[in-house]
Amino acid sequence: MEFWQQRQLQDQSARRQDLRSPYQRDRARIMHSAAFRRLQAKTQVLGVGMNDFYRTRLTHSLEVAQIGTGIANQLQQHTNAHIDLLDSMSLIEALCFAHDIGHPPFGHGGEIALNYMMREHGGFEGNGQTLRILAKLEPYTEHFGMNLTRRTLLGIIKYPALASTLANYGEQPELESFRQLKPAHWPAVKGIFDADKEVFDWVLEPFSDSDRERFTQTTVAANGGHHRTLHKSFDCTVMELADDIAYAVHDMEDAIVMGIVSRTHWQQFVVPRMAGVSDSWIGDQLAEIEDKLFSHKHYLRKDAIGTLVNAFVTAVTWQEFAEFQSPLLKYRAVMTPEYGQLLEIFKQFVLRYVIQKPEVQMLEYKGQQIVMELFDALASDPKRLLPTNTRERWQLANSQPHQHRVIADYIAGMTDEFAARLHQQLFSARSISMLEFGGQ
């Protein structure tokens, strides 16, 4: 497995008595990066600043890491455990810390906005941007980002295919203004940016030709939308399950505490659907979990949340795909069907009663408009409006698609507050001094 610990740039720095493993160093680089710190001021589900209780993308990522290592520990206990794939909890933590780093300000609204503005220049998608930040943009090195190990970069790739092979927009209505943009018309292509093909090829280099061909296979979406990838690496499946559990359970907790969802909502949506889940534990615990979740006593609610997280973590097991040769592709972490069904119920519950709530959608729409107007302004006169470092990158780019990608990189790296303040600086009659407006 030594080639999976290789980096794009051989480390030249001499660190005194540094006994850390390669994955411990990866975790440290991610944790100490500016991109990771910015997650504290980026929207998770509810807008930053609405309340000081609920989760940001930073606290969400910390919780994903805790759940991810719990899943790894659970997998180690199975009789058919492939222990050699679970040789580093630092690797799992690194992936969980990094998984949301590429997401732009204002959550899904910001992603849709950047994807539309980049529609003729390779598109935009948060997971593709994550790889780009880790492998190219974060200034730990001059040209190779954080210069992480190959296996860490493999684990962060959720959609292993180039965006150009996946895109399928069809005919889209012409917009008279940004105000008319509908997210359903411009969903992001879930894949690797074509601009990052060189990094993608380097990551996949150790695989056999047959493994590489299978791993990058795609399928046509049933609804006629973008094509989809079919496979993920083992490490990625652990991280993604942890992300799903944190999203479904912890974001539901936020919504309950803030009064966005009520016990009536739970009884109308969750209870009848859970009745179709054929697992005796779920049936036996359903009423008690409901009582605790909607109790006014915080410790009872926390106990219910912990019970649910534990139920999902202990329901993760191994799955084998015999057509692959490499163990990193042959094995995956999966949730047993009953608990996978339950997790999907919770995800749909959050989607319906939180994400699709008009007040939340209004905030998403507002963020969407801010991002599009920022992009339009910066692209109209980059030499004049971009900050010095970004302007130098823009000038070095050798074509319009690459220059637009530099602008997308700049906006994607903004926090919600920074983007809102820059928008005000550019478009509001209210004066903001240079000292009040910090650079980024």
Side-chain angles (χ1 to χ4, degrees), residues 266-287 290 338 341-342 345-346:
W266 173 276
Q267 291 173 344
Q268 290 175 345
F269 188 92
V270 175
V271 172
R273 288 165 175 80
M274 287 177 73
V277 179
S278 57
D279 182 88
S280 58
W281 184 90
I282 294 171
D284 293 342
Q285 297 293 318
L286 176 59
E290 178 184 329
E338 296 81 9
Q341 184 182 350
L342 179 61
I345 291 171
F346 286 174

Side-chain angles (χ1 to χ4, degrees), residues 319-361:
Q319 186 174 18
E320 182 176 352
F321 291 78
E323 65 267 30
F324 287 103
Q325 298 170 6
S326 171
L328 286 173
L329 304 183
K330 182 187 290 286
Y331 301 105
R332 296 179 203 172
V334 297
M335 195 169 290
T336 57
E338 296 81 9
Y339 285 86
Q341 184 182 350
L342 179 61
L343 185 63
E344 186 60 30
I345 291 171
F346 286 174
K347 289 168 66 176
Q348 291 302 315
F349 183 58
V350 172
L351 176 66
R352 178 168 175 176
Y353 289 103
V354 182
I355 295 175
Q356 294 177 347
K357 188 177 176 67
E359 292 86 345
V360 174
Q361 284 301 306

Side-chain angles (χ1 to χ4, degrees), residues 219-234:
T219 184
V220 178
N223 61 3
H226 299 314
H227 304 297
R228 297 180 179 276
T229 56
L230 295 171
H231 303 291
K232 293 177 174 64
S233 68
F234 167 75

Side-chain angles (χ1 to χ4, degrees), residues 1-7 11 18-31 84-97 147-155 202 235 328:
M1 300 286 282
E2 185 178 341
F3 39 78
W4 289 109
Q5 297 179 1
Q6 292 173 350
R7 306 178 188 275
D11 282 346
D18 191 348
L19 302 178
R20 295 174 299 169
S21 73
Y23 304 125
Q24 287 175 321
R25 297 175 71 186
D26 283 358
R27 180 186 60 187
R29 292 179 187 188
I30 293 165
M31 184 182 295
D84 54 328
L85 290 178
L86 294 164
D87 57 343
S88 176
M89 291 297 171
S90 296
L91 170 64
I92 300 300
E93 287 185 323
L95 297 177
C96 294
F97 286 159
N147 196 31
L148 304 179
T149 61
R150 198 192 310 258
R151 184 170 170 181
T152 298
L153 293 180
L154 174 67
W202 179 82
D235 301 321
L328 286 173

